[in-house]
Amino acid sequence: MPTGTSTEEKIVTGSAESLDSPWRVVLWNDPINLISYVIWVLETLFGYSTSKATALTMEVHNNGRAIVSHGPREKAEMDASRLHEKGLWATLERESD
Amino acid sequence: MTEIRGPLKQIEGDRFENLLTDEEKELLGMLPGVVVEAIAAHSPYVTRLFPPTYPFDHTAQKEIEDVGSDSLAEEHRRILEGLADTVNKPVLTHQDLVVWVGAINDIRLLIGTALDVYEEMDRPGEDDPRFQDFVIFDYLTWLQGSLLAFLSGQLGKGEQS
């Protein structure tokens, strides 16, 4: 995965009134994780097809980030936690942002 | 001619013969403990193992850390110790390979952070004090890629070369 990812973007606000609004799980590029590893993680964690996992991984690789999951805040936090367990760099943002 | 030997050979189904050399097994048996100790010591080199969920919202980040940071550390320890515990097994299962891939990724994240690795980075010469660490990092990169190929079924039949 290439370097040069900017994290200078507006990521999230965690206000209480946003609990029911949909959230996005953003996967960020990093220079250490292998492309093949990221594809495999997306396949095994989320059950994505190889083509979908590959497309998302290449979006991360080329654009620095990709939205890999979304849903209520609790689900999004769980998905991010599972990605963290695999050593991937995931953050949350509200879909309204 | 030099024979290039892969790390595994598929025996049947999800069973794989462990073809690592004694030197590789010794290295892979030792490195997980280094990462576990670094986690316990809150080393700055383990930051990539604990990425923030809310990097720009300190309140939300603290709330989620209060709930989940211990379990995340425990998960990292579990897979790292899983690698150390199984590295000498002569026959590995698919689940062993899953644990190995995750543990090797954690080790690569620690070493890569310590070396400040970036994409297409030139490797230092043999006189550089970081040389040996880069050799280990690149070996782990090769090994992880090889294991992923088996897990993905791309090279799952016969010995890899």
Side-chain angles (χ1 to χ4, degrees), chain B residues 148-160:
Chain B
L148 284 164
F150 276 97
L151 285 174
S152 300
Q154 296 167 358
L155 295 174
K157 300 184 186 303
E159 189 169 344
Q160 184 186 3

Side-chain angles (χ1 to χ4, degrees), chain A residues 1 14 30 32-33 73 77, chain B residues 48 54 57 105 108 119:
Chain A
M1 310 290 281
D30 76 69
I32 299 174
N33 284 317
R73 185 173 182 178
E77 285 187 346
Chain B
R48 275 293 287 105
Y54 300 104
D57 185 330
N105 204 67
R108 289 182 66 254
E119 184 74 6

Side-chain angles (χ1 to χ4, degrees), chain B residues 1 11 17 29 39 48 63 78 87 92-93 107 112 118 145 155 157 161:
Chain B
M1 295 178 66
I11 302 172
E17 183 180 357
I39 291 172
R48 275 293 287 105
E63 287 175 358
R78 185 186 70 81
V87 72
L92 300 163
T93 65
I107 298 167
Y118 55 87
L155 295 174
K157 300 184 186 303
S161 62

Side-chain angles (χ1 to χ4, degrees), chain A residues 1 5-6 11 24-30 33-35 37-39 41-42 45-46 48 53 56-61 63-69 79-80 82-84 86-93, chain B residues 48 51:
Chain A
M1 310 290 281
T5 300
S6 171
I11 298 291
R24 294 186 287 234
V25 180
V26 181
L27 182 61
W28 295 87
N29 187 35
D30 76 69
N33 284 317
L34 298 176
I35 288 174
Y37 179 68
V38 178
I39 293 170
V41 168
L42 293 177
L45 282 191
F46 299 137
Y48 293 161
L56 286 170
T57 300
M58 295 315 295
E59 185 178 342
V60 173
H61 181 75
N63 301 336
R65 53 172 271 167
I67 297 164
V68 297
S69 175
D79 287 347
R82 295 164 74 202
L83 291 165
H84 292 172
K86 297 296 186 182
L88 302 191
W89 181 16
T91 60
L92 296 196
E93 64 183 26
Chain B
R48 275 293 287 105

